[in-house]
Amino acid sequence: MATTFAPRIFSGIQPSGGITLGNYLGALKRFVEKQDEGIETIYCMVDMHAITVWQDPETLRHQTREGAAAFIAAGIDPARSILFNQSQVAAHAQLAWIFNCVARMGWMSRMTQWKDKTAGKNAEAASLGLFAYPALMAADIMAYHATMVPVGEDQKQHLELTRDIAIKFNNDYGVEYFPVVEPLIEGVATRVMSLRDGTKKMSKSDPSDQSRINLTDDADTIAGKIRKAKTDAAPLPDTAGALRDRPEARNLVSIYAALAGHTVDQVIADFAGAQFGSFKPALADLAVAKLSPITTEMNRLMKDPAEIDRILGHGADRAEAISRPIVDRVYDITGMIRSRRG
Ligand code: AQP
């Protein structure tokens, strides 16, 4: 009989920069919705992923706390969801090593994120960690036997790899130990694009701060970035289909829809024929109305970093209690002797 796994959600965000509107709409906002649906939810600041590219230690610490503050300010309740930073729970690194030995070099070298992050650069100089990143991500998920992972569109391929690693592990060892995970890629903003280039993903690490809205931006900064966002000269069309070849316009309309909780069709019905001169201020007002309360709460939480560390530590204890026995069993399955435990 096939093993059944209880529904459990795991997801994370890298503290490799400030949290962007893309991270918020593609991930964080949906993390809150999943928590509020009553499913068991485990959320993580994945600091070990962040150091696959260089991070200044003090900045990393600050961004990890700031990311945690963003989770809480956006509605994650640390009493209901488990909220912690990855490096505090050893199971992630331990299982990642096992998965490094299950995953194949060919699988990893086909990952588009690896190719994108090394494109035009000397791949030989990239860290081994950046190459192995998806195996650590698989370990993050499987250390909890998580069955569902809410992510943005850009993480779809890594989720498929997680499935491949889990299936290969199960086949190699003749067990039904790891679940086959489902990516949850839902909503109208699964891929928020750069404000400067509608063909590029909005990203924390984009060299241009004008390309993104950060959750730490104040109202004037948000309005300024939206005012200067790249667009074309035509007014908004009267059908969503007509946005297909207008990436910048489509991006702004999708952001509006996601923030308002509307469909793209509803936004088009409201703004058909409008020039960007009137649509952009409406979008800026909406973005400020939705994001300012989060920014204000983040700023308040960041005044007490010790309290954030306490919350992360408590979350790590709860995460450890779930992942420890799961990874211990992996050691048994793979033939590692653990005689110290009695
Ligand atoms: N532009 C985006 N639109 C929708 N979802 C997005 N996500 C990221 N960018 C967008 C989703 O946010 C979650 C956390 O992402 P991450 O921190 O693990 O790393 P990332 O996907 O590589 O995000 P960034 O902002 O581009 O970081 P850097 O610049 O450091 O690489 C994921 O669920 C992701 O899908």
Side-chain angles (χ1 to χ4, degrees):
M1 203 176 70
T3 313
T4 51
F5 293 89
R8 180 179 280 158
I9 284 182
F10 177 94
S11 201
I13 294 189
Q14 295 187 73
S16 48
I19 307 276
T20 69
L21 180 67
N23 299 137
Y24 174 67
L25 293 176
L28 192 44
K29 186 167 179 284
R30 293 175 40 246
F31 296 174
V32 177
E33 288 160 8
K34 293 294 158 197
Q35 167 192 269
D36 294 346
E37 284 170 23
I39 307 171
E40 185 180 7
T41 41
I42 305 175
Y43 296 128
C44 190
M45 296 308 301
V46 285
D47 46 9
M48 296 200 304
H49 283 279
I51 61 162
T52 55
V53 297
W54 169 251
Q55 304 293 334
D56 169 74
E58 263 322 304
T59 309
L60 179 65
R61 254 188 290 276
H62 174 81
Q63 285 169 179
T64 304
R65 291 185 181 121
E66 194 177 77
F71 271 69
I72 299 166
I76 294 298
D77 172 0
R80 284 193 285 155
S81 292
I82 296 180
L83 178 64
F84 69 109
N85 60 307
Q86 183 187 29
S87 58
Q88 293 212 66
V89 179
H92 295 251
Q94 291 173 327
L95 188 56
W97 182 256
I98 305 277
F99 283 175
N100 282 344
C101 302
V102 173
R104 305 289 95 181
M105 292 286 285
W107 299 359
M108 309 305 259
S109 52
R110 282 193 284 279
M111 293 296 110
T112 49
Q113 191 176 86
W114 159 254
K115 290 195 230 168
D116 289 349
K117 290 204 167 175
T118 53
K121 298 186 195 136
N122 178 9
E124 298 272 311
S127 73
L128 183 56
L130 188 65
F131 189 68
Y133 179 115
L136 176 59
M137 180 167 157
D140 298 337
I141 298 161
M142 288 298 131
Y144 301 92
H145 278 177
T147 56
M148 291 171 284
V149 183
V151 280
E153 183 67 39
D154 61 318
Q155 293 294 335
K156 186 165 181 257
Q157 195 188 28
H158 289 165
L159 263 295
E160 284 160 2
L161 187 93
T162 300
R163 292 165 74 114
D164 290 343
I165 292 175
I167 290 168
K168 185 167 179 349
F169 180 95
N170 287 348
N171 287 342
D172 286 352
Y173 291 99
V175 290
E176 277 195 49
Y177 189 61
F178 287 121
V180 175
V181 70
E182 284 296 327
L184 301 177
I185 302 171
E186 303 159 330
V188 285
T190 56
R191 191 168 172 81
V192 177
M193 308 310 278
S194 158
L195 299 179
R196 310 302 300 164
D197 177 351
T199 64
K200 262 175 62 186
K201 182 181 89 129
M202 182 181 286
S203 189
K204 303 180 199 88
S205 56
D206 191 301
S208 165
D209 192 57
Q210 292 297 316
S211 70
R212 61 180 161 261
I213 291 171
N214 306 298
L215 289 194
T216 47
D217 287 343
D218 62 24
D220 286 348
T221 309
I222 293 174
K225 286 179 177 177
I226 292 175
R227 195 171 53 245
K228 289 197 210 109
K230 187 178 165 203
T231 45
D232 53 41
L236 285 174
D238 52 12
T239 65
L243 288 170
R244 198 173 37 241
D245 299 323
R246 299 176 62 189
E248 283 85 16
R250 189 174 66 228
N251 189 37
L252 295 187
V253 169
S254 302
I255 292 172
Y256 190 104
L259 286 169
H262 292 162
T263 63
V264 167
D265 285 330
Q266 282 171 301
V267 179
I268 287 295
D270 290 346
F271 288 96
Q275 299 289 343
F276 284 104
S278 59
F279 180 69
K280 281 179 168 180
L283 175 59
D285 287 349
L286 177 64
V288 168
K290 296 287 176 180
L291 302 181
S292 293
I294 299 176
T295 310
T296 305
E297 180 61 2
M298 276 172 75
N299 291 339
R300 190 190 70 75
L301 290 163
M302 283 300 282
K303 292 203 176 101
D304 190 355
E307 173 60 8
I308 295 178
D309 291 1
R310 194 197 60 74
I311 290 169
L312 292 174
H314 177 63
D317 287 343
R318 293 169 65 200
E320 174 91 24
I322 299 171
S323 58
R324 183 73 275 139
I326 290 177
V327 174
D328 278 354
R329 179 79 189 113
V330 173
Y331 279 9
D332 290 337
I333 291 170
T334 51
M336 312 278 170
I337 294 172
R338 293 181 302 109
S339 49
R340 286 173 66 219
R341 275 194 325 136

